[in-house]
Amino acid sequence: MRQAGLDLDDIQGDVLEGLQKDAENLIFFKLVGTVYFQRLVKQHVVDRITSAERVHQRSLEIRRRQKLGQIRRQPFHGLNLGLTKDGLTQLIGAARPRLDRAFERGADHLETITSLNDPPRSTWLKKFASDRIDGVFLITGPDHASVRLQSNQLLRFLGASIKVIYLEVGNTRSGTERGHEHFGFLDNISQPGIRGLTPALDPIRRPDQGLPGQDLIWPGEFVFGYPGQHPEHPTREGPPPHMAASWLRNGSYMVFRRLEQKVPEFRKFVVERAARLGMDPRLLAARMVGRWKSGAPLELAPLRDDLGLGGDKKRNNDFEFGDDPFQRKCPYAAHIRKANPRDDTASKAEVQRHRIIRAGIPFGPEVAPGETTTSHSRGLMFVCYQTSIERQFEFIQSHYANNHDFVDGKRRPGGGAVTPGFDPIIGQAAGNGAREMDEPFPNFPAGNRRTTLEVPSQFVVLTAAAYFFMPSITALRTVLT
Ligand code: N7H
């Protein structure tokens, strides 16, 4: 069921369903010959940009093959291009329209860093922070070698028109860890469904969901030019987000954050604290995330992992938090309960206006035998899409994850007030201070033991960040080049 008007041919492929990737090179560059770059992009790049339509057709093809039991896939290469505020200014001049406030400020602005409690820019990767970043190429494929080959070809086309500031190739993990991020948890389970693109599995009984538990969101939350969410109703159509210029249509904002993960330190912390609390370390880690490593959500498997549930797309996202009012199954501060509180606040309509589409990829090597403190940089190249960086990504980071009072208004079974604490995965305290999370030990199915988890340091550390606009393919062909 495709909504008439969702112009997938014009939207870049990473935005809605994500370029299918086992490896991805992110090439951050500065423009050095703008006019030359514009000519080369028009000549060699625009026709190679992978559209959302191609990605969508590829997903359908993968599903068809899976149904037939065919696991071999044809290699798929993707190419997308994003531009920062500086890149847009280089291409169309200083008199260009002003976009989203957060985008115009940029991820490396002191105000942004302060409002998100991010580590200072002086601690970011030296190379990344060494010069102005005007844009990013996303080059995806089945493995490092083919992605490097595609990247080299692109860089040859572009010659001296750009200077590469930083590049990094990420890849999905292999074997039984495929699809899992570096702490070991299955990722990419819960994404918003897109009205007009994601089919409802059960259109009669659940017309507002794609897969069970996957709420359908109006596309204007992620791509310009379409209706967004209604501010007061969780499923009704709302107005399209404001566009500063008509060429923003079919474009989207991309947030990039290179998040280093201190895996050996995380593992050691979990084992030590679990012993202190007298609980299984796997349960403690699951209570920090809200899901078990298999992907099984605590709301449906509160005490032990359930591998069948974890891998079952029709069941592993089919839950809300409202019927767990005392965090007996899943702590209020667990990463997924913070990042998408579902029905846990006074207004679901409000929560649905703070959704993002995630499209990141892990980077760095596996933990080496004997690596007890991190000696190789590894983590997640976090990428997400939205039409307001301020209302979507930044809101989740600052008002949910970093806010120890969120979700507010919660009570103990006996009536006392609760401070839920920080998201122990991505929450950041001012000045890199210590964080606390309420109720690491489960009081399930009953019980009244009060516990607090103190998290003295970050296991997820920001090492680079930037905000991009992913223009429509038409804008890349016309206004911008
Ligand atoms: Fe998170 N993790 O391993 O703990 N994330 N995340 N994330 N995240 C999710 O449901 C993780 C980060 C969201 O709808 C899962 O798909 C790690 C940032 C949202 O129920 C796991 C890092 C932001 C969801 C992780 C990281 C978010 C989500 C469960 C950094 C935004 C969906 C898999 C290194 C500010 C919630 C799944 C929902 C899920 C982990 C970053 C947001 C396992 C390790 C920066 C919205």
Side-chain angles (χ1 to χ4, degrees), residues 239-416:
H242 168 74
M243 286 193 284
S246 60
W247 56 264
L248 297 198
R249 191 184 151 74
N250 291 327
S252 181
Y253 291 114
M254 167 188 156
V255 168
F256 164 75
R257 288 167 77 79
R258 184 181 186 276
L259 298 169
E260 209 166 85
Q261 292 176 252
K262 306 284 183 198
V263 180
E265 290 84 349
F266 175 80
R267 288 181 187 157
K268 191 162 153 240
F269 171 86
V270 167
V271 168
E272 275 176 14
R273 291 305 157 102
R276 229 186 271 178
L277 287 159
M279 65 193 288
D280 183 336
R282 289 167 299 187
L283 176 57
L284 177 59
R287 285 186 68 86
M288 293 168 77
V289 172
R291 290 186 184 270
W292 296 89
K293 287 190 170 172
S294 71
L298 283 179
E299 284 302 332
L300 303 179
L303 288 182
R304 58 195 59 83
D305 201 351
D306 177 340
L307 304 191
L309 171 63
D312 183 347
K313 288 193 166 109
K314 293 195 181 153
R315 293 191 295 141
N316 66 10
N317 203 30
D318 193 11
F319 62 91
E320 297 281 342
F321 294 114
D323 46 7
D324 180 21
F326 300 119
Q327 58 180 336
R328 291 188 188 281
K329 296 180 186 166
C330 178
Y332 303 132
H335 175 55
I336 65 159
R337 194 163 181 166
K338 280 275 191 181
N340 177 13
R342 302 185 185 216
D343 65 341
D344 211 19
T345 72
S347 162
K348 181 143 186 179
E350 162 75 12
V351 169
Q352 302 294 45
R353 286 171 41 87
H354 305 296
R355 305 293 307 278
I356 49 176
I357 296 178
R358 293 170 298 132
I361 191 160
F363 70 89
E366 293 296 309
V367 175
E371 188 181 345
T372 50
T373 48
T374 299
S375 50
H376 300 284
S377 182
R378 67 174 66 75
L380 183 70
M381 294 210 262
F382 175 84
V383 167
C384 74
Y385 294 99
Q386 58 253 284
T387 45
S388 167
I389 295 177
E390 211 168 352
R391 176 165 56 78
Q392 293 167 278
F393 162 71
E394 286 192 349
F395 191 95
I396 295 173
Q397 183 70 55
S398 63
H399 287 64
Y400 289 168
N402 295 358
N403 175 3
H404 62 147
D405 289 324
F406 184 80
V407 176
D408 39 353
K410 293 292 183 190
R411 302 253 142 214
R412 301 276 179 222

Side-chain angles (χ1 to χ4, degrees), residues 61-79:
E61 173 71 22
I62 291 174
R63 249 173 275 157
R64 261 195 307 271
R65 280 171 181 264
Q66 276 167 347
K67 271 195 191 142
L68 296 171
Q70 300 170 347
I71 25 179
R72 269 186 71 86
R73 294 178 184 175
Q74 297 301 319
F76 182 82
H77 287 103
L79 171 64

Side-chain angles (χ1 to χ4, degrees), residues 229-239 347-350 353:
Q229 285 293 119
H230 193 287
E232 272 131 37
H233 194 281
T235 56
R236 258 188 229 150
E237 174 178 340
S347 162
K348 181 143 186 179
E350 162 75 12
R353 286 171 41 87

